[in-house]
Amino acid sequence: MTGAGTREDLLVRAFVAADAVDVTGLLHRAYAELGARGLNFTAVDQDVATTLRRARAGASWVAHDRDGLVATMTVSFPPEAALVALTPEAAVARRAWLNQLAVDPARRGRGYAAVLRDIGFAWAREAGATSIGLDTAEPAEHLLALYERWGFVARDTVHWPGKTYRSVVLTRPLDARAAG
């Protein structure tokens, strides 16, 4: 699925530039708890121009429920050059990269991230990717646990310039079904 998806309580569609302000606010809310822990994820305080640049680096989606924007995600294929310079895992042929996944804190636990994951994985397969990677902060245990439930396996660690933490690089094949 490359465009829009639906679920009884959720509409998912492709990101458009007009979404950038709202997506930036969502990212700030979703990453605030990590920022409060001293983890300076880009999404903690990125500006609208950064949101646009990151969303345009791949295929991006937004998810709305009856109350408004609740989730977003980007999948890049191929991964960005800065990441390829940090880890050989990003340079693996036909590997896509999951970026900027966020769910509004008030809407977590409803499966919205999994809906976006499935759409992003399908898009990556259609684009020719055979595996997908991501990176997240080592101290973000809840995120690492989520990604491991989704079938990702830790392969490397990196330290992004200017970040206060090391990131774990995780990968998984796209032909395997993601767990809950």
Side-chain angles (χ1 to χ4, degrees):
M1 176 180 299
T2 58
T6 60
R7 187 176 116 159
E8 183 177 317
D9 59 341
L10 194 69
L11 169 67
V12 179
R13 63 169 174 77
F15 171 93
V16 296
D19 294 323
V21 170
D22 290 340
V23 167
T24 301
L26 169 64
L27 291 166
H28 292 174
R29 290 190 307 279
Y31 284 80
E33 67 193 62
L34 295 163
R37 292 177 52 193
L39 303 174
N40 63 334
F41 279 76
T42 301
V44 167
D45 59 2
Q46 72 188 41
D47 60 20
V48 172
T50 301
T51 299
L52 274 168
R53 179 186 55 76
R54 294 181 81 196
R56 289 176 173 161
S60 298
W61 299 270
V62 292
H64 294 266
D65 70 6
R66 66 186 164 281
D67 297 320
L69 179 67
V70 296
T72 190
M73 183 184 71
T74 298
V75 175
S76 300
F77 183 58
E80 67 175 297
L83 180 61
V84 172
L86 286 175
T87 176
E89 292 298 329
V92 170
R94 299 178 66 191
R95 177 162 288 156
W97 212 260
L98 189 153
N99 303 292
Q100 209 164 234
L101 173 62
V103 175
D104 189 287
R107 305 293 200 307
R108 290 186 182 147
R110 299 180 188 185
Y112 295 167
V115 169
L116 287 171
R117 173 204 64 205
D118 292 347
I119 290 168
F121 284 13
W123 176 87
R125 278 191 298 274
E126 289 174 13
T130 57
S131 67
I132 191 161
L134 62 84
D135 60 283
T136 196
E138 278 182 326
E141 298 89 3
H142 67 294
L143 294 176
L144 291 170
L146 171 68
Y147 299 137
E148 289 170 357
R149 283 194 307 274
W150 286 0
F152 284 88
V153 176
R155 302 280 185 208
D156 195 6
T157 59
V158 297
H159 194 126
W160 283 95
K163 298 303 172 191
T164 58
Y165 55 86
R166 290 189 60 78
S167 289
V168 178
V169 174
L170 303 103
T171 68
R172 59 157 288 158
L174 280 171
D175 59 357
R177 175 144 166 75

PDB file of all heavy atoms in Angstrom, residues 10 47 66 88 128 134 148:
ATOM      1  N   LEU A  10      -9.113   4.965  12.216  1.00  0.00           N
ATOM      2  CA  LEU A  10      -7.885   5.604  11.777  1.00  0.00           C
ATOM      3  C   LEU A  10      -7.869   5.775  10.265  1.00  0.00           C
ATOM      4  O   LEU A  10      -8.235   4.868   9.530  1.00  0.00           O
ATOM      5  CB  LEU A  10      -6.693   4.715  12.190  1.00  0.00           C
ATOM      6  CG  LEU A  10      -5.310   5.329  12.120  1.00  0.00           C
ATOM      7  CD1 LEU A  10      -5.152   6.406  13.185  1.00  0.00           C
ATOM      8  CD2 LEU A  10      -4.265   4.248  12.340  1.00  0.00           C
ATOM      9  N   ASP A  47      12.684  22.045  14.093  1.00  0.00           N
ATOM     10  CA  ASP A  47      11.818  23.069  13.532  1.00  0.00           C
ATOM     11  C   ASP A  47      11.048  22.498  12.333  1.00  0.00           C
ATOM     12  O   ASP A  47      11.273  21.361  11.903  1.00  0.00           O
ATOM     13  CB  ASP A  47      12.607  24.323  13.158  1.00  0.00           C
ATOM     14  CG  ASP A  47      13.702  24.063  12.129  1.00  0.00           C
ATOM     15  OD1 ASP A  47      13.675  23.050  11.404  1.00  0.00           O
ATOM     16  OD2 ASP A  47      14.605  24.918  12.036  1.00  0.00           O
ATOM     17  N   ARG A  66     -10.569  10.488  14.825  1.00  0.00           N
ATOM     18  CA  ARG A  66     -11.643  11.493  14.790  1.00  0.00           C
ATOM     19  C   ARG A  66     -11.252  12.813  15.449  1.00  0.00           C
ATOM     20  O   ARG A  66     -11.870  13.843  15.209  1.00  0.00           O
ATOM     21  CB  ARG A  66     -12.916  10.927  15.426  1.00  0.00           C
ATOM     22  CG  ARG A  66     -12.786  10.646  16.911  1.00  0.00           C
ATOM     23  CD  ARG A  66     -14.036   9.950  17.468  1.00  0.00           C
ATOM     24  NE  ARG A  66     -13.773   9.365  18.764  1.00  0.00           N
ATOM     25  CZ  ARG A  66     -13.142   8.217  18.965  1.00  0.00           C
ATOM     26  NH1 ARG A  66     -12.701   7.522  17.942  1.00  0.00           N
ATOM     27  NH2 ARG A  66     -12.949   7.749  20.181  1.00  0.00           N
ATOM     28  N   PRO A  88      27.857   0.313   8.636  1.00  0.00           N
ATOM     29  CA  PRO A  88      27.736  -0.482   7.413  1.00  0.00           C
ATOM     30  C   PRO A  88      26.350  -1.099   7.248  1.00  0.00           C
ATOM     31  O   PRO A  88      25.963  -1.465   6.141  1.00  0.00           O
ATOM     32  CB  PRO A  88      28.820  -1.551   7.564  1.00  0.00           C
ATOM     33  CG  PRO A  88      29.155  -1.592   9.008  1.00  0.00           C
ATOM     34  CD  PRO A  88      28.855  -0.229   9.558  1.00  0.00           C
ATOM     35  N   GLY A 128      11.382  -2.169  -3.734  1.00  0.00           N
ATOM     36  CA  GLY A 128      12.503  -3.050  -4.009  1.00  0.00           C
ATOM     37  C   GLY A 128      13.381  -3.386  -2.824  1.00  0.00           C
ATOM     38  O   GLY A 128      14.387  -4.092  -2.968  1.00  0.00           O
ATOM     39  N   LEU A 134      16.668   0.514  11.429  1.00  0.00           N
ATOM     40  CA  LEU A 134      16.334   1.708  12.192  1.00  0.00           C
ATOM     41  C   LEU A 134      17.407   1.885  13.251  1.00  0.00           C
ATOM     42  O   LEU A 134      18.192   0.977  13.503  1.00  0.00           O
ATOM     43  CB  LEU A 134      14.938   1.612  12.820  1.00  0.00           C
ATOM     44  CG  LEU A 134      14.664   0.500  13.836  1.00  0.00           C
ATOM     45  CD1 LEU A 134      15.105   0.879  15.243  1.00  0.00           C
ATOM     46  CD2 LEU A 134      13.191   0.173  13.853  1.00  0.00           C
ATOM     47  N   GLU A 148      12.115  -4.964  18.960  1.00  0.00           N
ATOM     48  CA  GLU A 148      12.431  -6.392  19.046  1.00  0.00           C
ATOM     49  C   GLU A 148      11.168  -7.232  18.896  1.00  0.00           C
ATOM     50  O   GLU A 148      11.183  -8.269  18.234  1.00  0.00           O
ATOM     51  CB  GLU A 148      13.184  -6.690  20.338  1.00  0.00           C
ATOM     52  CG  GLU A 148      14.608  -6.136  20.286  1.00  0.00           C
ATOM     53  CD  GLU A 148      15.354  -6.168  21.607  1.00  0.00           C
ATOM     54  OE1 GLU A 148      14.777  -6.585  22.648  1.00  0.00           O
ATOM     55  OE2 GLU A 148      16.530  -5.748  21.613  1.00  0.00           O
TER      56      GLU A 148
END
